[in-house]
Amino acid sequence: MSKAILIVGASRGLGLGLVAEHLKRGFDVVATVRKPADETELKALPGAERLTVLQADVTSDDDIARLAAKVPGLLDVVFVNAGVIGPKSVVDASPAELDKAFHTNVFGPIRLAHALIGKMRDKTGVLALMSSRMGSIGEQSSGHSAVYRSTKAAQNSLARSLWLTEAKDRGVTVLSIHPGWVKTDMGGQNADIDIETSVSGIADQLAANIGADAHRFIDYRGKDIAW
Ligand code: NAP
């Protein structure tokens, strides 16, 4: 029987790459986009006969509830990839811009994860959230992108709470993943690695951490990152 993965935020960049990689690996894939018009590239991927595209904005509770109701069967992996870079400065940004960055990168992904975790397989399930090395407080040596860094640090903390309250006793692993510095709209063309290198490493890590009985903060090669 094929394994099933849900990938949230799959219109472009790493999300689209994760869909392509898991179709290649034989998974049944449910992918979400914000706008139905963004289905075209997904539907053209090799293996798309195993792909279902649904609509979801992670900042909408209605979308999250609709998505949870539509997910077919039990999921082996839930991957919340959606994210934004947000405003540059915590001082110059408006309160609305700060709220949007936190809703998109922190509260939306975590509320979605809470809504979907009941649809995951016990013992072998893996819930992954796209974090960033920039969310590491221990490794931080620059003050730039302060708002973005703080969203990923907060997401990591809520992922730990989620693991402790809803995943650990069921044997569901939680991963906060740094994809590398990747050539996407967000990462820019000067980034270190291409999308294929990142998503293939991430897919290997999703498989390697089945049954890990942990919440880990790792990069796409499986290297632990300081909290
Ligand atoms: P990207 O090319 O800008 O793609 C971002 C994705 O998130 C798009 O699919 C976008 O959908 C979706 N998204 C944004 N807001 C959303 C919302 N409210 N609801 C649902 N989906 C939403 O960025 P990327 O580089 O692929 O980044 C993907 C993830 O990796 C992000 O969480 C990012 O923080 C993280 N990351 C990236 C890098 C890097 O070097 N690229 C490094 C570390 C971490 P639309 O097309 O509808 O906007």
Side-chain angles (χ1 to χ4, degrees), residues 3 74-77 117-127 163 166-175 205-215:
K3 290 195 162 194
L74 275 179
L75 296 163
D76 296 279
V77 183
I117 199 161
K119 307 260 174 186
M120 297 188 65
R121 244 178 241 293
D122 289 340
K123 300 192 193 322
T124 55
V126 177
L127 169 66
W163 177 64
E166 293 194 39
K168 189 175 188 303
D169 288 350
R170 291 177 47 206
V172 173
T173 297
V174 178
L175 299 177
Q205 291 313 313
L206 295 175
N209 281 283
I210 291 170
D213 190 23
H215 167 218

Side-chain angles (χ1 to χ4, degrees), residues 8-16 32-35 38 56-60 63 79-85 100 103-105 129-134 148 151-152 155 177-188 191-193 195:
V8 176
S11 58
R12 57 197 165 93
L14 286 160
L16 179 63
T32 75
V33 296
R34 283 198 282 188
K35 302 174 288 294
D38 286 336
D57 184 319
V58 296
T59 64
S60 161
D63 284 6
F79 202 118
V80 192
N81 167 72
V84 289
I85 198 77
K100 190 172 176 201
H103 203 166
T104 308
N105 289 3
L129 293 134
M130 200 65 106
S131 182
S132 169
R133 184 180 291 281
M134 290 174 85
Y148 179 73
T151 64
K152 296 296 188 179
Q155 189 208 81
I177 296 189
H178 170 60
W181 183 23
V182 192
K183 295 182 206 297
T184 63
D185 292 343
M186 186 186 290
D192 288 336
I193 56 172
I195 291 173

Side-chain angles (χ1 to χ4, degrees), residues 96-108:
E97 287 170 325
L98 294 169
D99 286 351
K100 190 172 176 201
F102 268 81
H103 203 166
T104 308
N105 289 3
V106 186
F107 305 122

